[in-house]
Amino acid sequence: SIEGGVVRYRKNGTLLYTSTITPTYPLLADTALYSNGATLINVVINTGIQNVSWTNTVGVSTSGNNLTKTAGSAWGNAGAVSTQTIASGDGYVETTVSQLNTARIFGLSDSDTDQNYTSIDFALHMENTNPNIWIYESGTSRGTFGTYAVGDKLRVSIEGGVVKYRKNGTLLYTSTVTPSYPLLVDTALYSNGATLTNMVILSGATGGGSSGASINWLVTDQLGTPRIVLDKT
């Protein structure tokens, strides 16, 4: 595996060896077999990162993996969730900051009950009056954790089964609340025009997680509006 740009070897998730050699990209899965009849079974490769696809959209417009509020400024009247899930193990949701003057919240939840931030299990809030970062868990404030700027990458991740919040890779806060799976990308937007930009999800991240992304298909009506979400079953 590649973990933070470092090559590591694992058996059943347990670290065997950490390489001192820096990998050169792109990387292919490569093999060599000696014995006649030798078999490599169920070989999988997980680059993992996907653009978030949206469903249950209320008071927002979507453009690819971006989300923009069209409703009036208030909490509870605008948001959406991802069609993808983190089914188990590790993963994350990440956004790239594109504005400083709007209030919006994103994070991970095990369900989508409404469009308010109080129902997001693990949420990172970008304040509008000042560019401060707040962390909320099911509506409970965990405090403020510095500021953000345009171009920053903000992330809510599951690492070894623990929820962590990061800015540009730097740890801001480690949750003491155990997540319940599966986890959706969940959002709540306050300001009219608030945008969550370049939202991506990684399911089955390295470092112990083994699950791949849960793929869903959006079935649209004649106007292109999603009406049905299908999974592989």
Side-chain angles (χ1 to χ4, degrees):
S1 64
I2 311 293
E3 305 174 24
V6 177
V7 178
R8 293 191 170 96
Y9 303 80
R10 295 181 180 275
K11 183 182 79 173
N12 300 327
T14 300
L15 182 66
L16 302 176
Y17 178 72
T18 300
S19 179
T20 58
I21 300 173
T22 301
T24 301
Y25 296 92
L27 290 162
L28 303 165
D30 200 357
T31 65
L33 293 87
Y34 174 84
S35 305
N36 177 267
T39 302
L40 291 168
I41 299 174
N42 192 30
V43 177
V44 296
I45 186 168
N46 183 12
T47 56
I49 299 173
Q50 303 176 68
N51 290 333
V52 170
S53 297
W54 301 108
T55 189
N56 293 354
T57 55
V58 176
V60 297
S61 63
T62 62
S63 176
N65 60 341
N66 303 324
L67 197 66
T68 301
K69 182 167 185 177
T70 56
S73 296
W75 287 119
N77 66 351
V81 296
S82 63
T83 62
Q84 303 101 328
T85 64
I86 300 173
S88 62
D90 292 356
Y92 64 75
V93 57
E94 183 178 87
T95 189
T96 303
V97 176
S98 62
Q99 53 189 197
L100 301 178
N101 59 347
T102 64
R104 61 272 195 221
I105 289 178
F106 76 97
L108 296 170
S109 291
D110 66 355
S111 62
D112 180 38
T113 56
D114 57 38
Q115 288 71 51
N116 210 335
Y117 72 92
T118 55
S119 65
I120 302 178
D121 297 344
F122 306 97
L124 196 153
H125 174 208
M126 288 167 276
E127 189 182 350
N128 57 339
T129 53
N130 295 295
N132 293 322
I133 296 170
W134 292 78
I135 290 171
Y136 288 88
E137 295 185 336
S138 300
T140 299
S141 172
R142 304 304 187 196
T144 182
F145 296 86
T147 61
Y148 64 92
V150 170
D152 282 347
K153 293 184 182 297
L154 303 179
R155 176 183 296 186
V156 182
S157 63
I158 312 294
E159 304 174 27
V162 177
V163 178
K164 297 185 179 182
Y165 303 80
R166 296 183 180 275
K167 182 181 79 171
N168 299 327
T170 300
L171 182 64
L172 301 177
Y173 177 74
T174 299
S175 179
T176 59
V177 180
T178 301
S180 298
Y181 295 94
L183 289 162
L184 300 163
V185 178
D186 201 356
T187 65
L189 295 88
Y190 174 85
S191 307
N192 176 263
T195 299
L196 289 168
T197 306
N198 192 29
M199 297 286 292
V200 296
I201 183 173
L202 173 64
S203 180
T206 54
S210 59
S211 67
S214 176
I215 304 299
N216 293 268
W217 291 264
L218 299 181
V219 181
T220 61
D221 62 16
Q222 65 270 28
L223 299 178
T225 303
R227 295 299 184 189
I228 304 172
V229 181
L230 300 178
D231 63 18
K232 65 182 180 180
T233 62

